[in-house]
Amino acid sequence: MPSTPQPVTPDPPDAIARPLLTQSWLDLTFVHWAMDPADVAGLLPPGAVPDTLGGVTYVGLVAFRMHRVGWLRLPGVPYLGSFPETNVRLYSVDDHGRRGVVFLSLDASRLVPVLVGRLGFGMPYVWSRMRVRHDDDRTVTYTASRRLPGPRGAGTRLTVRRGEAVDGPTELEHFLTARWGMHGVFFGRPMYLPNAHPRWPLYRAELLECEEDLVAAAGLPAPAGEPVSVLYSPGVPARFGRPARPAGIPTP
């Protein structure tokens, strides 16, 4: 753990003028439970340790619609680049103080992006049957059921009702959403992939229904009790920069 992790800021620390990837994240619901850092440490990539707030770390279940994934400055792909997705993620920090997230699983409904993510980048993508349904102007239901590689049938059913807008995020809400990169292993090496996007438009939300076993399928203890935070966002456009090696040097 670095002696001084970078501060949690509502805006990205660096602009990404020449993106490696572009995409939009729409209709997001963030559901979070508290976790003991000892339970998650062994699931993080080399060079990263659990990021904590008051001695506690968190696991997030994040359901949303990916929209028009694109490479470099090319236009986003309308069909293959748009699909529902649900992630299980942890919170991490490295020796340089860079805060980020670590994805334990990424369920997506398009087979081609799943194959590209798994085979091309070593990301833990899973092909799933998924749906995002607006029941009315405030209520959204997300469903997912795994196909391959499994465990087959694992999935989620989340229903949330959007509440009031968040004018000033709490310290915890800020900690869970203001993340400007991801730690992972790319091409066999630990690396950090920075991202940038506008400030989140956030709403507090009521969790009406939660049936999920993706957290346990990712190797974590099944969440006990109610989540500590439920948030909704209509979404943001995002850019990813070039990955950096553990020493902080960008890749060619």
Side-chain angles (χ1 to χ4, degrees), residues 85-234:
E85 185 169 321
T86 298
N87 300 333
V88 176
R89 73 186 200 180
L90 301 175
Y91 295 86
S92 52
V93 63
D94 62 22
D95 291 339
H96 301 275
R98 297 174 298 198
R99 288 183 144 117
V101 300
V102 172
F103 293 109
L104 298 185
S105 64
L106 305 99
D107 286 66
S109 64
R110 292 273 187 267
L111 179 58
V112 170
V114 167
L115 293 175
V116 171
R118 288 187 69 89
L119 301 178
F121 297 95
M123 297 286 289
Y125 267 98
V126 180
W127 186 33
S128 298
R129 296 181 180 88
M130 308 186 75
R131 185 181 180 190
V132 179
R133 185 185 76 240
H134 285 265
D135 301 307
D136 55 47
D137 62 351
R138 296 177 56 207
T139 307
V140 189
T141 296
Y142 309 83
T143 56
S145 179
R146 285 189 173 171
R147 289 170 159 166
L148 294 171
R152 194 171 180 86
T156 60
R157 181 178 178 86
L158 301 174
T159 301
V160 297
R161 179 184 293 128
R162 175 173 51 85
E164 75 278 5
V166 177
D167 294 326
T170 65
E171 185 180 15
L172 176 60
E173 290 167 343
H174 200 40
F175 178 87
L176 296 174
T177 59
R179 294 280 150 172
W180 305 114
M182 60 173 288
H183 293 102
V185 177
F186 305 98
F187 308 109
R189 294 183 177 181
M191 292 189 186
Y192 177 80
L193 187 68
N195 71 73
H197 59 73
R199 291 191 182 192
W200 285 109
L202 292 172
Y203 295 79
R204 297 193 176 96
E206 178 185 2
L207 187 61
L208 303 179
E209 182 179 18
C210 181
E211 298 176 6
E212 73 82 27
D213 50 12
L214 295 185
V215 172
L220 291 166
E226 295 297 315
V228 297
S229 175
V230 182
L231 295 169
Y232 172 83
S233 176

